[in-house]
Amino acid sequence: MAVIESSQDIVQSQSPWREAARAFRQSWAGMLGIFILILVILFTFVGPFFYPVDPFEIIWAPLTPPGATERAPLGTDYLGRDILAGLIHGGPATLYVGLVAGIITITIGILVGAFAGFYRGMVDEFLMRITEFFQVLPALLFAMVLVTLFTPTIYVVSLAIGIVSWPTTARLTRAEFLRIRNLEYVNAARSIGAKNRRIIWRVILPNALAPLIVAATLTVGIAILFEAGLSFLGLGDPNMFSWGLMIGAGREYILDGWWVVTLPGFMIFLTVLGFSLVGDGLNDAFNPKLRER
Amino acid sequence: MTMTLMVARRLLHAFLLILAVLVLNFLLIHIAPGDPADVIAGEMGGATEEMLADIRKTYGLDKPVYVQLGVYLTRALQGDLGQSFFYNAPVLDLVAGRAGPTILLVATALLFAVFVGTMLGVLASHKPKGIVSGLVTVVSVIGYSAPIFWTGMMLVILFAWVYPIFPIANMYDITRGGGFFDRVVDILYHLVLPALTLGIVYLAQYARLTRASMLEILGSDYIRTARAKGVAEVKVYGHHALRNAILPVVTIAGLQFGSIISGAVLVETVFSWPGLGTLAFESILARDYPTILGILFFSSLLVIAANLITDLVYRLVDPRIRTGG
Amino acid sequence: MAAILSIKDLVVDFKTRAGNARVLNEISLELESGEILGIVGESGCGKSMTALSIMGLVPSPPGKITNGSISLDGEDLVQASTARMRQVRGGIISMIFQEPMTSLNPVFRVGDQIAECVLLHEDISKADAWARAVEMLTKVGIPEPEIRARAYPHELSGGMRQRVMIAMALSCRPRILIADEPTTALDVTVQAQIFDLLNDLQRETGTAIIMITHDMGAIAELADRVAVMYAGHIIESGKTEDILTNPQHPYTRGLIACVPHLEENPTEDRPYLSEIKGVVPSLTELGKGCAFAPRCPYKTPICEEERPHIEAVDKTHSVACYNVKYVVAV
């Protein structure tokens, strides 16, 4: 029995993904990040069942500080709406924008980076010029222009964030493809007649995944920050209740009531912190050499 | 010879990028829903039919698209970025008037972040498990995760109520008289909080980066050589290792210039700093498209210029690039 | 002749996760002024650590000199202050390293790197230090030294860089030069040039050289005396001629046999290319016996019980082995 168990251990430790998962569980940053994200998700998805208050409803005097009344434990905003209800109901929209914008960013980035790194030459030159061009435009200003020109719905906001943030991912993917494309196993695949498409998506991409997963995690966090920034400037979707919207609406009242902006800002901070820490943990897990430091 | 050629190529490259940004602006006007003339006039400009007709004539909007592009580019390259109907002023004047404060804010924050960041990074690398090192890690993770306007607001709250020692809004006190020197001091005094807010995020990142590259460099062969010829530890860190450790910081600082400008937009809005960011914010509220597009164009110019400068600085600090071509 | 450097019972320990590794175990060595002393052994036997100990550059933590002394003209360097060690390094004892490609700082001109060494140890103007740098480059046979002094390391070939390292090491006229595998990373033809250069400079300046290498051929050509190291111990030492023609320790015999040769009739005893079977043991797992015993073809029961001490065979030749007579007889 003991012998069989130990042989399983050997098989397990040979898989790099299992190895990374084990390393991730040992990284305090990664585990803390997971813990924070679980808390945030529980708070915003399970919270409504325990605290069924409409965040749009005016329930008390405007700008009531936290703890002043039982009806609004975390106080009210400038219209007299319940802050706690806002925090609970504002989560899904923010997370949704973060995830969708993150997916758009990563998809464009991987497509551009993979083709540039794989085909090199003219294709690379052309795609990198475009990437460089997008990096010249200050991302937030560009997103502001896009959202202003079109209607600020949750989809336009996600798309705008995706359009302005993909260059970093593209550069990373390209670097990985340039590194891997000349390795032995890629040549081996080519020598048995594999098509380019197969080599790109089935041979090179899986081997470039580790840094891309780290980047994707961080990208979701950055997208959430972006959404918050746009909302702060009044460019969020006015029909979706989000933390960003609370911040944008309460911005002018910070000196009248610190809680109006501080609390939703803190929720955003916590969420992004969760993603950043998970990203750090994944980075440690995928780079055993750095773990010693 | 090669140096002039290099500079010429860089400048041409920069010029093409500027053209590309103008083409993008042109496309944005035309992709946006509605009549381009309406877009140019700005939704809240209260444009009359007469004005719209005027705009159509100036920009040749009844002609084919490529002619319109030609007109737009020619006008833009002559410095005509259009007219803001909301402010009733040429966009170029508006943008030029607000560029100074933004450049002051961004440059201060960036220099502060680079210098203090590298210094902290060197200190942290001396004791990788010490207090400075831990602080750098914590601040960089927090700074990376907190919305920059939120950090700014925290500082506003802190310095409005708890320690009211720094001004929390505007660039100078209009009620205060005094000469030029007093005004400069007053501006610097008002600059403290915005620059700190904008700089601290990057400061922590640069410190972390410096620490990582210092740790790698300190284990390298040429540091051993330096020690073997009797160089004191202070100089090993501050001269032999640091000169190499700043290279990645210069690269990253250059790459991040665009994102620093993005951050500045938010920070300016928090602290009512009269720069391009507040102008952008005001013109978005007014749906003043020519001004917004003008700001996008001008801030891209700043990024292009910053990239050129970074390139030159990198050539100065890394001899391998200088002669390697 | 009097010894300028004498190492007595030097012990260096490294704390590792696997336990305490005794990297150097009661090393004793003497270096006489003006001689070339060779230290040979496989990778990881403690050659480089001996050099770093003399320079006071044992990486700490995890390393530590736990016992013994290194005396330079009677002054114990193990006890010396950091300020004093800075004067010694580069001024009295210099060192050149295995990797010329990475041993020079990439962002400084080579002339400045040499001049820095001079400025650190002599009261001299910057211009004079630069002149000295150019002079040293001339000495080590670099053509157009004024131009090369202004070059950056990446503009020079590996052989050139090693010449720059030698120029830097000798720029303050040190009394001792430690050369840690100075040619391992270079092409064979360049190796010969560097060895010739070291030989010439040694004759000209009278600097004593500690030559660390695993190349018995280089030792045969250059060294006056040889110390053979194995797993942190010195297991044999003596005049080069004696060691090469009359090796006593089975490990030394193995090392000499390992030098490829092209005799016409290879035999069972002397094939074209021979090897020492097995590998150097992990330093955390050394037993109480002779470190070489697991690989030794002549091992007897006592070899695994107690470590042999180094003892004189004759006036200049000593060895740490119980079975010297038996080995010699074979």
Side-chain angles (χ1 to χ4, degrees):
Chain A
M1 191 60 200
V3 175
I4 294 168
E5 270 173 14
S6 69
S7 75
Q8 266 176 351
D9 285 349
I10 291 167
V11 173
Q12 283 185 356
S13 68
Q14 277 168 346
S15 157
W17 295 102
R18 278 179 198 275
E19 180 69 17
R22 194 185 55 77
F24 183 80
R25 282 196 294 276
Q26 284 173 355
S27 138
W28 69 265
M31 290 319 278
L32 181 62
I34 290 278
F35 178 72
I36 291 174
L37 285 185
I38 288 176
L39 275 189
V40 169
I41 287 169
L42 281 181
F43 178 74
T44 112
F45 285 92
V46 182
F49 297 105
F50 294 93
Y51 195 77
V53 178
D54 182 354
F56 284 110
E57 191 191 344
I58 294 171
I59 57 155
W60 208 254
L63 295 173
T64 310
T69 164
E70 274 178 30
R71 283 291 304 277
L74 292 181
T76 61
D77 71 359
Y78 72 108
L79 287 176
R81 301 180 294 194
D82 185 4
I83 296 273
L84 178 59
L87 294 185
I88 290 174
H89 289 270
T94 302
L95 288 171
Y96 181 83
V97 173
L99 284 177
V100 173
I103 289 168
I104 295 172
T105 306
I106 291 291
T107 311
I108 305 177
I110 286 182
L111 281 174
V112 172
F115 286 126
F118 184 78
Y119 289 107
R120 301 202 293 189
M122 295 285 284
V123 179
D124 185 25
E125 181 81 1
F126 176 70
L127 290 174
M128 279 302 108
R129 286 292 137 121
I130 294 182
T131 311
E132 193 186 10
F133 170 65
F134 272 80
Q135 283 190 314
V136 158
L137 303 162
L140 184 71
L141 273 169
F142 189 22
M144 283 163 71
V145 169
L146 289 176
V147 177
T148 319
L149 283 175
F150 299 89
T151 350
T153 66
I154 196 165
Y155 304 104
V156 170
V157 169
S158 307
L159 192 65
I161 295 172
I163 286 174
V164 302
S165 356
W166 59 268
T168 325
T169 315
R171 282 188 182 276
L172 177 69
T173 312
R174 174 175 175 270
E176 281 297 298
F177 266 64
L178 285 177
R179 182 177 67 82
I180 295 172
R181 76 183 300 271
N182 290 325
L183 294 183
E184 294 298 327
Y185 54 81
V186 179
N187 288 332
R190 208 172 274 139
S191 69
I192 59 168
K195 294 223 170 63
N196 280 345
R197 207 196 316 173
R198 187 180 169 78
I199 293 177
I200 293 176
W201 305 123
R202 292 293 176 84
V203 182
I204 302 184
L205 187 61
N207 287 290
L209 271 186
L212 289 177
I213 289 175
V214 176
T217 315
L218 298 176
T219 301
V220 174
I222 294 170
I224 292 175
L225 285 181
F226 245 108
E227 195 270 341
L230 287 173
S231 300
F232 172 76
L233 295 170
L235 290 172
D237 185 341
N239 302 313
M240 292 288 278
F241 201 89
S242 71
W243 295 327
L245 193 71
M246 294 172 77
I247 292 169
R251 186 188 61 236
E252 291 174 26
Y253 305 90
I254 43 166
L255 293 179
D256 304 311
W258 56 267
W259 57 92
V260 181
V261 164
T262 310
L263 295 176
F266 183 71
M267 289 309 293
I268 289 171
F269 164 60
L270 215 54
T271 312
V272 180
L273 183 66
F275 281 105
S276 304
L277 288 173
V278 170
D280 273 7
L282 287 173
N283 200 24
D284 291 350
F286 288 132
N287 294 306
K289 261 202 316 199
L290 297 175
R291 225 178 295 152
E292 301 291 318
R293 294 231 173 110
Chain B
M1 172 60 198
T2 44
M3 187 68 183
T4 25
L5 199 70
M6 191 277 294
V7 171
R9 273 183 52 187
R10 286 273 141 197
L11 287 177
L12 178 70
H13 189 72
F15 177 72
L16 291 178
L17 278 173
I18 293 168
L19 266 191
V21 177
L22 287 174
V23 173
L24 175 83
N25 273 1
F26 177 80
L27 287 177
L28 286 173
I29 294 171
H30 286 259
I31 291 171
D35 184 355
D38 267 334
V39 176
I40 292 172
E43 269 169 28
M44 290 164 90
T48 59
E49 262 314 308
E50 204 176 319
M51 273 167 71
L52 289 179
D54 197 39
I55 287 170
R56 286 199 188 92
K57 204 176 145 227
T58 339
Y59 288 90
L61 291 183
D62 45 357
K63 304 218 173 74
V65 177
Y66 62 89
V67 179
Q68 295 179 32
L69 178 62
V71 172
Y72 181 81
L73 290 184
T74 324
R75 295 183 75 95
L77 290 175
Q78 286 165 353
D80 179 4
L81 293 175
Q83 183 80 12
S84 163
F85 290 90
F86 176 71
Y87 290 100
N88 198 18
V91 170
L92 187 71
D93 293 359
L94 282 173
V95 171
R98 297 287 195 100
T102 297
I103 294 173
L104 176 67
L105 171 63
V106 167
T108 312
L110 190 64
L111 291 179
F112 164 69
V114 167
F115 282 107
V116 182
T118 27
M119 259 159 49
L120 282 179
V122 172
L123 277 181
S125 74
H126 185 58
K127 284 206 173 110
K129 284 178 179 153
I131 297 170
V132 179
S133 206
L135 202 69
V136 162
T137 308
V138 171
V139 173
S140 86
V141 172
I142 291 177
Y144 193 75
S145 309
I148 193 164
F149 59 86
W150 186 69
T151 321
M153 287 181 156
M154 295 297 108
L155 287 179
V156 167
I157 291 169
L158 184 68
F159 285 97
W161 287 325
V162 189
Y163 305 103
I165 44 173
F166 286 114
I168 55 166
N170 299 323
M171 191 161 101
Y172 45 82
D173 193 344
I174 42 167
T175 60
R176 195 179 290 180
F180 173 76
F181 183 73
D182 294 323
R183 177 50 61 86
V184 169
V185 169
D186 195 33
I187 288 178
L188 291 180
Y189 184 46
H190 279 78
L191 183 61
V192 171
L193 286 186
L196 189 70
T197 310
L198 188 56
I200 200 148
V201 181
Y202 299 96
L203 180 147
Q205 283 183 32
Y206 299 156
R208 223 179 162 183
L209 186 66
T210 309
R211 181 185 59 188
S213 48
M214 282 292 285
L215 285 175
E216 198 184 317
I217 287 162
L218 286 170
S220 71
D221 291 344
Y222 56 83
I223 292 302
R224 189 181 52 186
T225 306
R227 287 182 172 139
K229 64 182 172 185
V231 177
E233 280 303 282
V234 176
K235 241 188 130 194
V236 167
Y237 274 79
H239 187 56
H240 289 257
L242 181 59
R243 263 298 258 109
N244 287 279
I246 52 168
L247 299 181
V249 176
V250 172
T251 311
I252 296 293
L255 276 178
Q256 281 184 332
F257 197 79
S259 100
I260 296 181
I261 290 200
S262 292
V265 171
L266 295 166
V267 171
E268 284 180 12
T269 311
V270 172
F271 291 98
S272 312
W273 186 260
L276 293 173
T278 37
L279 182 65
F281 178 66
E282 290 156 13
S283 40
I284 277 171
L285 288 184
R287 293 284 181 268
D288 179 4
Y289 298 115
T291 307
I292 302 173
L293 289 172
I295 293 167
L296 180 66
F297 171 69
F298 190 81
S299 56
S300 305
L301 273 188
L302 287 182
V303 176
I304 293 170
N307 287 349
L308 278 176
I309 294 171
T310 314
D311 235 46
L312 290 174
V313 170
Y314 203 88
R315 252 156 232 280
L316 282 180
V317 291
D318 191 350
R320 281 163 294 189
I321 300 290
R322 208 181 306 162
T323 48
Chain C
M1 245 199 282
I4 50 170
L5 188 78
S6 109
I7 302 177
K8 273 224 160 52
D9 301 327
L10 186 69
V11 178
V12 173
D13 287 328
F14 266 60
K15 291 234 179 321
T16 67
R17 279 194 196 152
N20 190 45
R22 188 146 283 193
V23 191
L24 291 184
N25 199 334
E26 298 189 2
I27 296 284
S28 295
L29 271 180
E30 299 230 315
L31 179 71
E32 288 172 10
S33 68
E35 74 166 344
I36 299 186
L37 170 70
I39 300 182
V40 281
E42 285 166 274
S43 312
C45 68
K47 292 171 298 183
S48 298
M49 200 46 65
T50 309
L52 292 178
S53 306
I54 298 169
M55 299 294 287
L57 290 175
V58 173
S60 165
K64 196 174 189 296
I65 295 180
T66 39
N67 193 28
S69 66
I70 301 170
S71 69
L72 172 74
D73 281 336
E75 177 192 6
D76 188 2
L77 297 182
V78 176
Q79 310 296 334
S81 69
T82 44
R84 172 63 185 152
M85 277 315 289
R86 279 207 303 276
Q87 292 175 346
V88 170
R89 287 199 287 266
I92 303 174
I93 309 176
S94 280
M95 184 163 174
I96 56 178
F97 300 96
Q98 188 172 350
E99 285 293 338
M101 301 310 280
T102 52
S103 289
L104 288 165
N105 198 323
V107 299
F108 300 131
R109 295 179 197 280
V110 294
D112 284 328
Q113 298 193 46
I114 300 172
E116 183 188 21
C117 190
V118 184
L119 285 167
L120 280 167
H121 298 287
E122 292 176 26
D123 193 12
I124 192 173
S125 76
K126 277 193 175 172
D128 288 345
W130 180 266
R132 172 83 67 79
V134 174
E135 178 199 328
M136 288 312 297
L137 288 175
T138 320
K139 254 191 197 158
V140 296
I142 287 184
E144 302 179 288
E146 290 90 359
I147 297 171
R148 298 299 165 137
R150 301 188 58 79
Y152 289 94
H154 73 277
E155 297 167 316
L156 304 176
S157 68
M160 286 275 221
R161 290 189 214 182
Q162 197 60 294
R163 283 169 194 268
V164 171
M165 284 297 293
I166 295 171
M168 187 193 299
L170 296 180
S171 61
C172 294
R173 306 186 181 98
R175 300 183 56 196
I176 302 169
L177 173 68
I178 305 174
D180 185 0
E181 309 223 17
T183 61
T184 309
L186 302 172
D187 290 344
V188 184
T189 48
V190 182
Q191 286 187 10
Q193 292 169 11
I194 295 290
F195 279 137
D196 286 347
L197 174 66
L198 282 174
N199 216 354
D200 292 348
L201 290 173
Q202 198 272 336
R203 243 178 253 145
E204 194 186 315
T205 59
T207 307
I209 297 181
I210 298 178
M211 172 77 72
I212 295 172
T213 179
H214 58 258
D215 177 359
M216 269 295 184
I219 291 291
E221 243 178 84
L222 291 175
D224 300 310
R225 287 192 306 124
V226 182
V228 183
M229 291 190 71
Y230 187 80
H233 300 263
I234 288 179
I235 48 122
E236 184 163 5
S237 70
K239 288 184 175 159
T240 308
E241 206 183 296
D242 290 346
I243 300 279
L244 289 177
T245 56
N246 186 22
Q248 299 288 304
H249 197 283
Y251 177 67
T252 316
R253 292 171 68 89
L255 273 185
I256 293 168
C258 282
V259 178
H261 65 100
L262 297 168
E263 276 170 36
E264 275 190 15
N265 300 313
T267 58
E268 191 101 334
D269 292 350
R270 190 132 170 75
Y272 280 132
L273 193 57
S274 74
E275 58 170 339
I276 304 173
K277 295 210 158 45
V279 290
V280 183
S282 159
L283 291 174
T284 52
E285 288 159 10
L286 285 184
K288 54 189 170 169
C290 171
F292 189 62
R295 298 169 79 183
C296 184
Y298 312 104
K299 118 183 124 190
T300 52
I302 190 171
C303 294
E304 293 181 328
E305 287 302 315
E306 207 183 323
R307 188 165 295 156
H309 286 281
I310 191 153
E311 279 166 26
V313 184
D314 61 45
K315 257 202 270 179
T316 55
H317 194 166
S318 31
V319 65
C321 181
Y322 292 115
N323 302 310
V324 171
K325 285 182 192 110
Y326 176 67
V327 176
V328 173
V330 173

